[in-house]
Amino acid sequence: MGFRLFIGLFVLFFAGEVMAIEEAKYTVIEKTDEFELRAYSPKILAETVVSGSLSEASSAGFRLIADYIFGNNTSPTGGNEKISMTAPVTIEPKSEKISMTAPVTIEQAGEQWRMNFVMPSEYTLATLPKPNNSAVTLREVPASNYAVIRFSGFAGEDKVARKTADLIAWLTNKGITPIGKPELSRYNPPWTLPFLRRNEVMVAY
């Protein structure tokens, strides 16, 4: 039931707006095959912390932040406001105990994930509507560098673990040390054919 609702929310967001989706802004520092080093501009995140498996957490986290974006918020001028969808939708392990090469081990009972949406660049913290649900928070992130591996298809747990290991191995060969936990980013609505999907594992360095 939760997964069907997750799909439904994606449909509501993306239907008729696919071409207008804004992406987080970055410049490419280096590109080698499926790997990239990127410099990201400052951004504001709407985020929430959820528990469960990768699939369960993705669904629960999306519902919470979608509720905020749909209008469960209070704007600086009063009332509520619908906020445009952006890409990607990102999820990362919250636990400090998670290995860089095996982020899916967070599925153990009691562990948690942090999911976030990047807010449209037109907003500042002062102009963004405030979430009415305390489970959703807003956070400003300064300019930062990320290493990324890009892949298509479904972003299942085993595949994400393999891609994360590939990314960490690539960074090790370059003598670059990650400074954050791996993050899984998805860019497409759920009806996108698997071979056209854009998924990324990212890690700050």
Side-chain angles (χ1 to χ4, degrees):
M1 181 65 180
F3 182 73
R4 289 197 294 272
L5 180 56
F6 177 53
I7 296 298
L9 287 169
F10 255 116
V11 171
L12 286 172
F13 271 121
F14 283 100
E17 298 184 15
V18 174
M19 298 306 294
I21 295 298
E22 178 183 347
E23 291 192 14
K25 292 178 171 55
Y26 64 85
T27 56
V28 177
I29 300 171
E30 179 183 333
K31 180 176 176 61
T32 305
D33 299 323
E34 72 268 45
F35 301 101
E36 288 186 2
L37 298 179
R38 298 175 182 169
Y40 276 85
S41 301
K43 55 192 174 183
I44 300 173
L45 305 179
E47 63 183 15
T48 190
V49 175
V50 287
S51 300
S53 67
L54 175 60
S55 176
E56 292 166 345
S58 294
S59 179
F62 191 95
R63 287 199 304 271
L64 284 167
I65 305 178
D67 181 55
Y68 161 65
I69 290 179
F70 266 131
N72 187 13
N73 58 53
T74 302
S75 74
T77 57
N80 54 37
E81 182 177 338
K82 182 180 177 182
I83 302 169
S84 299
M85 186 70 181
T86 62
V89 175
T90 299
I91 189 167
E92 64 172 298
K94 182 175 183 291
S95 170
E96 299 297 332
K97 298 181 291 185
I98 301 305
S99 166
M100 280 284 185
T101 58
V104 297
T105 58
I106 198 169
E107 290 175 42
Q108 297 173 2
E111 299 291 6
Q112 295 180 308
W113 300 84
R114 179 180 287 107
M115 172 174 270
N116 67 64
F117 293 3
V118 178
M119 295 292 93
S121 58
E122 67 193 79
Y123 290 103
T124 66
L125 277 179
T127 60
L128 262 174
K130 303 301 185 225
N132 292 336
N133 186 341
S134 61
V136 178
T137 59
L138 302 177
R139 177 167 61 97
E140 196 162 19
V141 179
S144 49
N145 291 343
Y146 277 83
V148 179
I149 182 171
R150 182 170 175 168
F151 60 99
S152 59
F154 294 109
E157 295 157 0
D158 291 342
K159 189 171 188 178
V160 170
R162 291 196 306 271
K163 295 298 182 180
T164 303
D166 290 344
L167 178 60
I168 300 303
W170 183 71
L171 287 173
T172 299
N173 288 336
K174 295 179 71 63
I176 297 175
T177 301
I179 60 173
K181 295 183 290 294
E183 305 174 13
L184 171 63
S185 293
R186 301 181 177 101
Y187 286 79
N188 305 105
W191 58 80
T192 305
L193 293 172
F195 69 93
L196 293 176
R197 294 188 180 205
R198 175 184 174 187
N199 310 298
E200 294 174 347
V201 173
M202 312 169 61
V203 65
Y205 70 93

